[in-house]
């Protein structure tokens, strides 16, 4: 049995399971396309305790998002590859759903959805506390390593519940109008105060006006295009001009990421670092760069986490470090190789969309802007389908062409925008120097590898 199925089995053995409510919810979801359209981006099948309910919901959402078709009995039979005896049980369950749909409405389905989320929280709390109590009992018997296990369980519990509860405010537009108008007029008089954190690339910043608190931005590109370099540049620009930044590296080690930072700041070709070829002049130049960099009061923190990490793990580490450093932005390199908060890792679109959804919740929980990257498949498509756009605020595309290696010119555009009209453009890149942005810290040395001088304020 997989870890996911084992965890679901344990959750079903808690007290917070209501199968009738799950039937009621599904009866509304698959009653009409209007209800399904309003629900599927806000609900995850992990909230359903039963395997039949989860399978039917997932297969129904996939059918709708790929074929624009609503699940019915005929489609259910055609999509099922399970043995006859098992299929019969699922069809019987489906008949219960269709029978209950007579009384379903959008309002009742939304109510059921919120109640199912609360029941899921109850299951999580009960299961986690059971594990904590068991670990404490073992620790009392002398197995002191169990204390660390108990602490980790409590941390994960608090993070998961906070993620589930984020953004549940209730307001009235009539009651809030006077305060909104006052705020709006202040913004009109002070527009620069309400821009987000800029990237340092003129064409991006002209359209976006920066990424704002609680927003999730994703960079889309193929392997080798330079997504990690662009993320690094966004982080450095933030560190120079705005405040402390946390960079979460998953694919690369902390040591490799640190060298890329030195390379980007100094403008010395990365091959010189990688092949241990830095000469006396280059070291002297790097020393001058880093001497000035150390004067920057903002922090540039690299957080090295393993492949398959979850947003809950990253969220916990950011919150712990945030007590010491006042971060203003987070960069995560990168989304595809993460796992869901219940430890599922896959390139299937449903799993990848769930990871994106959890990162969005993390951004809102931290009230910080978050940048990450996603990778195209070999066929040039997003690995997890078009509905990733529903979970993010900004989607930036980057593409090479047959001339990029010679000219350094990269094609950029947007696949998701907040409230601006997107356009495409070309920009010169310096990937061998880990740069998409022209920033220098000190007067360049004689080597040609340093970009032309430009003064900046720290």
């Amino acid at each position: 049995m997989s870890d996911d199925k084992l965890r679901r089995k344990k959750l079903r053995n808690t007290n917070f399971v209501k199968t009738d409510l799950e039937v009621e919810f599904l009866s509304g979801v698959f009653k009409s396309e209007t209800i399904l359209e309003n629900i599927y981006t806000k609900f995850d099948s992990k909230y359903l305790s039963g395997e039949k309910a989860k399978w039917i919901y997932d297969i129904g959402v996939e059918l709708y998002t790929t074929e624009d078709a609503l699940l019915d009995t005929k489609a259910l039979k055609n999509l099922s590859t399970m043995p006859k005896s098992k299929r019969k049980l699922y069809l019987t369950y489906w008949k219960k759903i269709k029978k209950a749909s007579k009384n379903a409405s959008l309002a009742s389905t939304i109510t059921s959805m919120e109640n199912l989320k609360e029941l899921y929280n109850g299951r999580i709390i009960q299961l986690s506390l059971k594990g904590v109590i068991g670990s404490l009992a073992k620790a009392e018997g002398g197995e002191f390593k169990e204390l660390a296990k108990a602490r980790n369980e409590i941390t994960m519990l608090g993070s998961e519940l906070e993620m589930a509860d984020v953004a549940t405010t209730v307001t009235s537009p009539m009651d809030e109008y006077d305060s909104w108008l006052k705020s709006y007029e202040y913004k009109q008089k002070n527009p620069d105060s309400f821009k987000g954190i800029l990237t340092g690339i003129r064409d991006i910043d002209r359209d976006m006006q920066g990424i704002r608190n609680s927003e999730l931005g994703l960079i889309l590109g193929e392997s080798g295009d330079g997504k990690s370099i662009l993320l690094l540049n966004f982080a450095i620009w933030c560190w120079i001009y705005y405040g402390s930044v946390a960079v979460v590296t998953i694919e690369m080690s902390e040591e490799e990421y640190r060298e890329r930072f030195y390379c980007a700041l100094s403008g010395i070709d990365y091959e010189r670092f990688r092949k241990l070829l830095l000469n006396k002049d280059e070291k002297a130049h790097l020393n001058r760069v880093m001497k000035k960099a150390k004067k920057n009061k903002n922090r540039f923190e690299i957080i090295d986490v393993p492949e398959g990490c979850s947003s809950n793990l990253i969220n916990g580490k950011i919150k712990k470090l945030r007590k010491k450093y006042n971060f203003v932005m987070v960069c995560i390199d990168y989304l595809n190789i993460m796992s869901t908060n219940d430890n599922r890792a896959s390139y299937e679109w449903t799993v990848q969309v769930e990871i994106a959804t959890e990162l969005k919740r993390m951004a809102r929980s931290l009230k910080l802007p978050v940048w990450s990257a996603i990778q195209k498949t070999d066929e040039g498509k997003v690995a997890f389908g078009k509905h990733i756009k529903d979970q993010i605020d900004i989607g930036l595309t980057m593409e090479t062409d047959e001339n990029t290696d010679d000219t350094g010119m990269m094609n950029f555009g947007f696949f998701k925008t907040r409230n601006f009209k997107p356009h495409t453009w070309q920009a010169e890149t310096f990937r061998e120097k880990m740069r998409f942005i022209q920033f220098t810290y000190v007067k360049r040395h004689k080597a040609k590898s340093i970009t032309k001088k430009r003064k900046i304020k720290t």
Side-chain angles (χ1 to χ4, degrees):
M1 186 179 291
S2 67
D3 292 341
D4 180 40
K5 285 189 175 181
L6 183 61
R7 179 176 172 79
R8 286 179 57 77
K9 185 178 180 180
K10 288 180 179 178
L11 286 171
R12 279 198 300 273
N13 290 329
T14 60
N15 298 329
F16 298 90
V17 174
K18 288 191 176 182
T19 55
D20 289 345
L21 184 61
E22 294 180 0
V23 170
E24 181 184 326
F25 169 72
L26 293 174
S27 72
V29 169
F30 297 116
K31 182 175 183 177
S32 72
E33 291 186 9
T34 301
I35 297 178
L36 179 55
E37 179 67 31
N38 278 276
I39 292 294
Y40 84 95
T41 59
K42 305 178 182 70
F43 188 82
D44 191 293
S45 62
K46 70 180 181 182
Y47 298 127
L48 298 167
S49 64
E51 292 303 315
K52 292 191 290 292
K54 184 180 188 305
W55 185 85
I56 287 174
Y57 180 82
D58 285 340
I59 205 76
V61 170
E62 184 172 6
L63 179 66
Y64 178 70
T65 54
T66 56
E67 305 293 338
D68 289 324
L70 194 65
L71 185 66
D72 57 20
T73 305
K74 184 178 180 180
L76 188 66
K77 289 178 179 178
N78 291 336
L79 292 169
S80 175
T81 57
M82 59 189 67
K84 257 188 178 181
S85 58
K86 190 175 182 180
R87 187 187 306 177
K88 187 176 180 180
L89 293 173
Y90 277 66
L91 287 171
T92 301
Y93 186 76
W94 174 251
K95 287 179 182 177
K96 288 177 66 177
I97 293 170
K98 295 306 292 180
K99 185 178 179 181
S101 66
K102 295 176 182 179
N103 300 318
S105 65
L106 176 59
S108 68
T109 308
I110 291 174
T111 300
S112 298
M113 177 183 70
E114 297 301 332
N115 289 336
L116 286 173
K117 289 180 180 181
E118 288 303 314
L119 287 171
Y120 175 77
N121 285 339
R123 294 196 292 275
I124 291 292
I125 292 170
Q126 186 173 343
L127 185 62
S128 298
L129 291 181
K130 184 179 178 182
V132 170
I133 292 170
S135 294
L136 291 176
K138 290 179 182 178
E140 195 173 11
E143 297 180 43
F144 299 118
K145 290 182 179 179
E146 290 290 324
L147 286 173
K149 188 176 178 181
R151 282 198 302 271
N152 183 60
E153 189 75 38
I154 292 171
T155 301
M156 294 295 286
L157 170 64
S159 181
E160 187 161 358
L161 291 178
E162 182 172 334
M163 298 284 277
D165 291 339
V166 71
T168 56
T169 56
V170 179
T171 62
S172 165
M174 284 70 71
D175 295 342
E176 300 295 325
Y177 176 73
D178 290 341
S179 60
W180 170 84
L181 183 60
K182 186 177 180 180
S183 173
Y184 184 81
E185 290 174 344
Y186 180 79
K187 290 176 183 179
Q188 283 184 311
K189 294 176 182 177
N190 304 276
D192 290 339
S193 301
F194 294 91
K195 288 181 180 178
I197 293 176
L198 301 179
T199 67
I201 297 179
R202 181 187 60 188
D203 291 280
I204 298 176
D205 295 332
R206 182 183 62 195
D207 281 355
M208 274 181 53
Q209 296 294 296
I211 187 170
R212 302 167 184 171
N213 285 344
S214 301
E215 288 188 334
L216 172 62
L218 290 183
I219 302 167
L220 168 65
E222 294 182 2
S223 177
D225 280 355
K227 300 182 298 298
S228 296
I229 298 173
L230 192 57
L231 274 176
L232 170 63
N233 283 208
F234 287 177
I236 291 176
W237 195 262
C238 175
W239 169 72
I240 293 172
Y241 289 106
Y242 294 94
S244 298
V245 62
V247 177
V248 180
T249 175
I250 304 173
E251 185 178 40
M252 286 179 279
S253 67
E254 181 272 338
E255 182 180 6
E256 183 179 355
Y257 210 95
R258 190 172 359 113
E259 284 191 349
R260 286 183 170 222
F261 175 84
Y262 298 152
C263 171
L265 271 193
S266 67
I268 301 171
D269 284 2
Y270 186 63
E271 286 291 291
R272 307 286 294 172
F273 287 88
R274 193 174 68 83
K275 294 182 178 179
L276 306 177
L277 296 176
L278 290 182
N279 59 35
K280 184 177 179 181
D281 287 344
E282 288 167 331
K283 289 178 185 176
H285 170 70
L286 184 58
N287 286 339
R288 291 194 295 272
V289 169
M290 294 312 298
K291 183 178 180 181
K292 185 169 184 180
K294 289 177 182 179
K295 294 179 181 179
N296 189 342
K297 294 180 181 180
N298 302 329
R299 298 289 299 185
F300 191 102
E301 293 297 312
I302 302 171
I303 303 172
D304 190 350
V305 296
E307 188 170 331
C309 66
S310 67
S311 64
N312 272 352
L313 175 66
I314 295 172
N315 191 42
K317 288 186 176 293
I318 296 293
K319 284 187 173 180
K320 186 175 181 180
L321 287 170
R322 202 177 185 184
K323 295 176 182 177
K324 188 175 181 181
Y325 312 121
N326 186 25
F327 295 129
V328 298
M329 191 172 79
V330 177
C331 293
I332 301 172
D333 189 16
Y334 57 97
L335 184 152
N336 298 89
I337 53 177
M338 293 176 60
S339 69
T340 63
N341 286 331
D342 54 1
N343 299 316
R344 286 177 290 120
S346 169
Y347 276 88
E348 291 182 7
W349 75 269
T350 52
V351 174
Q352 293 286 301
V353 168
E354 183 172 339
I355 295 170
T357 303
E358 289 168 349
L359 280 181
K360 172 61 179 175
R361 288 173 182 165
M362 187 188 84
R364 297 187 73 169
S365 169
L366 293 170
K367 292 182 174 59
L368 290 176
V370 175
W371 276 108
S372 190
I374 56 177
Q375 190 163 303
K376 292 180 181 178
T377 62
D378 293 336
E379 294 77 26
K381 298 177 181 178
V382 182
F384 37 79
K386 62 182 180 180
H387 292 280
I388 188 67
K389 293 195 295 185
D390 296 332
Q391 314 305 326
I392 65 174
D393 300 287
I394 304 293
L396 178 67
T397 61
M398 54 190 301
E399 292 183 358
T400 57
D401 55 38
E402 65 274 10
N403 300 315
T404 297
D405 289 339
D406 295 326
T407 64
M409 299 301 290
M410 181 80 70
N411 301 302
F412 289 92
F414 292 97
F415 69 93
K416 173 69 181 286
T417 61
R418 181 199 307 114
N419 52 12
F420 55 85
K421 185 177 180 180
H423 74 284
T424 58
W425 71 95
Q426 279 195 325
E428 187 176 7
T429 64
F430 307 88
R431 288 182 293 173
E432 71 280 0
K433 307 176 193 304
M434 296 294 147
R435 291 183 174 191
F436 282 80
I437 300 170
Q438 293 279 53
F439 40 66
T440 54
Y441 249 48
V442 296
K443 184 178 180 181
R444 67 188 180 98
H445 68 79
K446 296 178 182 179
K448 295 180 180 179
S449 60
I450 304 302
T451 55
K452 60 186 178 182
K453 181 167 62 177
R454 175 185 172 191
K455 293 182 180 180
I456 62 173
K457 295 180 181 180
T458 59

